[in-house]
Amino acid sequence: MPNNHTNNELLLLKQTAAGDEKAFQLLFISYWDKLYANALHLIKSPETARDLTQEVFIKIWLKREKLSAVLLFEPWLYRVAKNVFIDHLRKQLVLDSLHDIQSIEDNEEQSPQRKLELNELIMQVNSAIASLPAQMQAAFRLSRFHGLTHEQIAQRMNISKVTSQNYIARSLVVIRKYLMQFLTSWTIVFMLLAEKFLK
């Protein structure tokens, strides 16, 4: 038999689906800490975990009409979050592994063919980055190659934190689409990451 919590939550879902921002805020408050903790455990970066948790709730609000058909919010929320987190990790797959790839390519145990393919991948990534507009490229390089946070990038480039976040997000979309043309290189990256994590 449904308890009061379940009934109250179902009411909040229906109200949110109808566009009630206060109802959505109550859901947000109820699940933020738990979802953020999961994101932090997976991503290991407090700033990125906050950004991804916020992205999950933004997606839910944008598709709020679907909430009227949701009977159990928590598992539904975690399915949305899982997709957001996996998408983030996929986008980072090549970009965050560049330094590992560059170190692997000098390994004498790598075959000439593997080294050639690794060099090709690095060239493709660099070409994708070079295709970005100047401001996006600058923000992306500061983030991925110099390890700056959004706050630091905003200060360095005299832009807002939100603008920095937008630059990085748009850069990742462009680079990912560019790299998807080279399926062989993507296969290599998956292999290299598997080797790395299984050591």
Side-chain angles (χ1 to χ4, degrees):
M1 182 176 180
N3 56 34
N4 288 335
H5 171 76
T6 301
N7 287 331
N8 290 338
E9 191 164 88
L10 287 173
L11 178 60
L12 289 176
L13 293 176
K14 292 183 183 299
Q15 291 172 334
T16 300
D20 188 329
E21 294 184 12
K22 290 183 178 179
F24 176 69
Q25 186 176 14
L26 290 174
L27 291 172
F28 179 93
I29 292 171
S30 296
Y31 287 97
W32 171 272
D33 288 342
K34 190 182 296 185
L35 192 59
Y36 169 75
N38 277 271
L40 183 60
H41 177 73
L42 179 65
I43 306 300
K44 311 302 183 187
S45 164
E47 182 182 27
T48 303
R50 282 194 297 271
D51 290 344
L52 291 176
T53 303
Q54 183 174 351
E55 183 179 343
V56 171
F57 283 103
I58 290 173
K59 284 182 177 295
I60 290 173
W61 176 252
L62 292 176
K63 298 181 179 180
R64 56 189 177 276
E65 66 278 358
K66 295 183 178 181
L67 292 175
S68 60
V70 174
L71 297 178
L72 295 173
F73 180 62
E74 187 166 2
W76 187 85
L77 170 68
Y78 280 101
R79 282 196 296 273
V80 175
K82 178 182 176 182
N83 290 334
V84 170
F85 298 162
I86 289 176
D87 188 53
H88 168 78
L89 293 172
R90 283 173 177 165
K91 289 176 181 178
Q92 298 296 97
L93 187 60
V94 171
L95 304 173
D96 287 349
S97 302
L98 281 177
H99 297 299
D100 295 320
I101 293 171
Q102 288 171 329
S103 64
I104 291 172
E105 71 172 337
D106 294 327
N107 190 329
E108 292 181 359
E109 296 179 2
Q110 298 298 321
S111 69
Q113 179 64 25
R114 174 65 67 83
K115 288 185 177 182
L116 180 64
E117 291 172 332
L118 288 171
N119 285 331
E120 180 187 355
L121 174 58
I122 294 169
M123 289 175 61
Q124 290 163 2
V125 172
N126 287 333
S127 294
I129 295 171
S131 72
L132 297 171
Q135 284 287 91
M136 286 173 56
Q137 184 178 154
F140 182 84
R141 290 185 181 279
L142 289 173
S143 172
R144 293 301 182 265
F145 298 133
H146 299 281
L148 271 61
T149 65
H150 287 302
E151 287 87 351
Q152 291 170 328
I153 294 171
Q155 186 175 9
R156 178 79 65 89
M157 296 181 63
N158 195 27
I159 58 177
S160 69
K161 177 184 174 182
V162 172
T163 300
S164 172
Q165 292 171 331
N166 287 337
Y167 280 161
I168 301 304
R170 288 162 57 193
S171 296
L172 290 170
V173 170
V174 171
I175 293 171
R176 188 183 182 193
K177 286 182 178 178
Y178 185 97
L179 292 177
M180 284 299 289
Q181 303 173 63
F182 307 102
L183 297 179
T184 300
S185 294
W186 275 86
T187 302
I188 294 169
V189 173
F190 278 106
M191 291 170 60
L192 292 174
L193 286 178
E195 292 172 3
K196 174 184 175 183
F197 290 130
L198 291 175
K199 283 181 179 179

